[in-house]
Amino acid sequence: MSEESVKSGRLRWDDLAAFLAVARAGGLAAAAKDVASSAPTLGRRMRALERALGRELFVRRTHGYDLTDAGIALKREIEDVADRIDRAAAIPETGGQPLVTISAGTWTSLALARRWRDIAGDPPDVRLRFVSSEDVLSITRREVSVAIRNKRPTEPGLAGRRLGRNDFAVYGLEGAARAWIVHSVDTPSSRWAKARAGKNSCTEVSHPRLALDLALAGAGQLVLPTFLGDKESKLERRSDPIVELSHDAWLVAHDDDRHLPEIRRVIDRLYLFRP
């Protein structure tokens, strides 16, 4: 710990920030650069912090520092505070629009990107960053500003707004073979298609977007959400909505950040022009 902490008998934020740097980096060398310290000094500060707290925070190994259960708990407690401080201390860009990051799955991201002007405004009053991912990115840690998810949020501090019901169906180019195009990303629709394709899978790709390109080229059929498939003029719907794949779509944001003007505008536009 710092000398100021010892004299005051209280932990200072820079001690906790140093701990967080080590916890995130998994070692002293990389963390020392972030806190403008030497690795030996940082190591002594971590020992002093553990003594002050009466808890072992790290398991020191040859490859680096792993967190104990107490270390994981402390990291969880202060991470959100650190993110808030970083946001408050960030120097705003001059002359540019505020950035809003939107996370959604592949198909929803594609539909949103095609309507980017409806979301950004005309003329644009925000900068958009689309993050296409099937993983659930953290809004609490501000990895993204807004997310579209397939279930209502249950994490503390998050607010959700139901967008509507997403249905899925089988699509293919008119006259194209009924062999299946499947992808290796693990999603409910991917598992459903693979279970029915069996040995009748003509092509497997690494990303859902490639499967759509192959279907448009006449290589076979695939499962798409109806909000996307019905708008692909070259494709025909080959099935009724697949009941077991239907789910509600939810617009999710941080309960504090959703009141920021730029995020409020994007939320309202996403709801109005939802897929």
Side-chain angles (χ1 to χ4, degrees):
M1 295 196 305
S2 63
E3 292 183 7
E4 292 84 352
S5 295
V6 174
K7 291 177 181 178
S8 66
R10 297 184 61 184
L11 294 178
R12 289 168 55 90
W13 173 249
D14 59 352
D15 293 320
L16 295 174
F19 159 77
L20 189 57
V22 176
R24 286 174 168 173
L28 297 176
K33 299 176 183 177
D34 293 335
V35 298
S37 174
S38 68
T41 298
L42 191 55
R44 288 193 293 271
R45 289 180 68 183
M46 293 303 99
R47 285 290 189 190
L49 179 62
E50 288 176 319
R51 288 196 298 272
L53 293 174
R55 292 178 278 173
E56 291 289 331
L57 302 175
F58 301 102
V59 177
R60 291 158 175 84
R61 305 186 189 278
T62 55
H63 66 267
Y65 277 35
D66 294 334
L67 291 173
T68 63
D69 289 343
I72 292 171
L74 180 61
K75 178 174 180 285
R76 187 180 299 120
E77 286 177 9
I78 66 176
E79 214 162 21
D80 188 47
V81 177
D83 289 337
R84 288 171 180 265
I85 291 174
D86 288 342
R87 286 165 59 85
I91 299 174
E93 297 180 9
T94 58
Q97 302 291 357
L99 175 67
V100 177
T101 304
I102 304 171
S103 170
T106 299
W107 303 130
T108 302
S109 294
L110 180 57
L112 294 178
R114 290 175 176 178
R115 304 196 67 171
W116 70 271
R117 195 178 298 278
D118 293 330
I119 304 167
D122 190 10
D125 54 20
V126 295
R127 288 187 299 125
L128 297 177
R129 177 180 293 158
F130 291 104
V131 181
S132 176
S133 176
E134 311 305 328
D135 296 328
V136 177
L137 301 183
S138 176
I139 296 174
T140 303
R141 294 198 301 271
R142 287 8 184 237
E143 292 178 344
V144 293
S145 311
V146 181
I148 296 180
R149 297 179 177 174
N150 61 7
K151 60 180 66 175
R152 186 172 191 163
T154 57
E155 303 97 314
L158 298 188
R161 186 177 185 182
R162 185 178 178 275
L163 289 174
R165 193 75 174 165
N166 282 351
D167 293 321
F168 290 75
V170 179
Y171 291 86
L173 199 66
E174 185 177 358
R178 292 187 175 269
W180 287 92
I181 305 168
V182 297
H183 59 81
S184 55
V185 178
D186 186 28
T187 64
S189 59
S190 171
R191 294 192 294 270
W192 188 93
K194 287 178 179 177
R196 282 146 186 82
K199 295 182 179 180
N200 196 32
S201 171
C202 67
T203 313
E204 181 170 343
V205 295
S206 61
H207 194 273
R209 186 65 176 82
L210 295 174
L212 176 57
D213 290 336
L214 283 168
L216 290 169
Q221 62 185 14
L222 80 168
V223 175
L224 289 173
T226 56
F227 67 74
L228 186 69
D230 288 350
K231 292 181 180 178
E232 291 287 348
S233 59
K234 294 183 179 180
L235 298 180
E236 61 178 5
R237 191 194 286 197
R238 293 182 172 181
S239 76
D240 293 329
I242 303 165
V243 176
E244 56 264 49
L245 295 181
S246 295
H247 62 78
D248 287 338
W250 287 84
L251 185 58
V252 185
H254 197 283
D255 199 33
D256 293 337
D257 294 351
R258 66 191 177 101
H259 300 293
L260 295 173
E262 65 273 17
I263 294 182
R264 180 80 263 159
R265 291 196 296 272
V266 168
I267 288 174
D268 290 342
R269 291 166 186 169
L270 285 171
Y271 187 78
L272 181 61
F273 298 107
R274 55 194 180 275

